[in-house]
């Protein structure tokens, strides 16, 4: 007689499956400190958040993450070794579990644009509109000041000497 079969193994996650950084339950502690990027130019403009308890991922997810980070770094991978803490402060943060908000305005993706690309495009359009308004204001101010300077010049010419 065949042996009794146990529960079927869970299917392997898709390589792009999201990783639950904060699973349901109590708050998740993170350590935070200021640091730098790990690829040139190693700019010191990063706030690092390190989860106190490791997140378990499958080998497939680990390979997918490795390949994605390697591609994002232009093929250099993690270029920089761990740096001494020095005088930097490490703070403890408590992550909370909450449902991500749904955008109030639907994002209109064009062609194969990612949501991030659409947000950058929209932000860029807003910046261009602001810059155009500022240029229009500056042009008007220039006309006003030029007119005032000419009026002052002309009034000074009319004073008898």
């Amino acid at each position: 007689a065949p042996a009794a079969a146990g529960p079927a193994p869970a299917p392997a996650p898709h390589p792009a499956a999201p990783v639950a950084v904060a699973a349901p339950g109590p708050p998740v502690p993170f350590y935070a400190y200021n640091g730098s990027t790990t690829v040139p130019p190693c700019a010191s403009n990063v706030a690092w958040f390190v989860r106190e308890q490791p997140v378990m991922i499958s080998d497939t997810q680990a390979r997918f993450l490795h390949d994605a980070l390697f591609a994002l770094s232009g093929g250099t991978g993690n270029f920089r070794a761990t740096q001494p803490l020095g005088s930097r402060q490490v703070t403890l943060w408590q992550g909370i579990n909450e449902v991500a908000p749904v955008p109030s305005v639907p994002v209109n993706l064009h062609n194969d644009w990612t949501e991030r690309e659409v947000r950058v495009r929209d932000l860029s359009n807003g910046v261009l509109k602001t810059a155009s308004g500022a240029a229009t204001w500056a042009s008007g101010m220039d006309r006003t000041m030029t007119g005032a300077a000419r009026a002052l010049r002309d009034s000074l010419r009319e004073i008898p000497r």
Side-chain angles (χ1 to χ4, degrees):
H14 184 276
V19 175
V21 176
V28 179
F30 287 86
Y31 294 100
Y33 61 95
N34 292 327
S36 61
T37 59
T38 61
V39 293
C42 300
S44 298
N45 60 352
V46 176
W48 287 97
F49 289 84
V50 180
R51 194 175 192 273
E52 187 175 62
Q53 296 296 320
V55 175
M56 302 305 291
I57 62 175
S58 70
D59 291 343
T60 304
Q61 288 173 313
R63 172 54 61 192
F64 183 79
L65 180 62
H66 170 273
D67 293 347
L69 291 174
F70 196 77
L72 285 171
S73 68
T76 61
N78 187 2
F79 185 81
R80 191 173 193 193
T82 303
Q83 302 295 302
L85 184 61
S87 62
R88 295 179 287 170
Q89 298 289 319
V90 176
T91 56
L92 179 64
W93 291 73
Q94 293 293 325
I96 59 171
N97 299 310
E98 54 184 28
V99 177
V102 177
S104 58
V105 177
V107 177
N108 184 15
L109 297 178
H110 298 283
N111 302 327
D112 59 347
W113 288 18
T114 65
E115 184 176 344
R116 183 177 181 173
E117 290 169 325
V118 171
R119 285 194 318 258
V120 168
R121 182 208 56 203
D122 293 345
L123 180 61
S124 298
N125 287 337
V127 168
L128 286 171
K129 183 176 179 181
T130 300
S132 176
T136 301
W137 177 85
S139 177
M141 180 59 76
D142 180 58
R143 283 190 304 275
T144 300
M145 296 306 288
T146 300
R150 287 182 178 144
L152 178 60
R153 178 197 63 202
D154 294 345
S155 69
L156 291 175
R157 283 185 187 162
E158 296 174 8
I159 298 177
R161 297 187 189 222

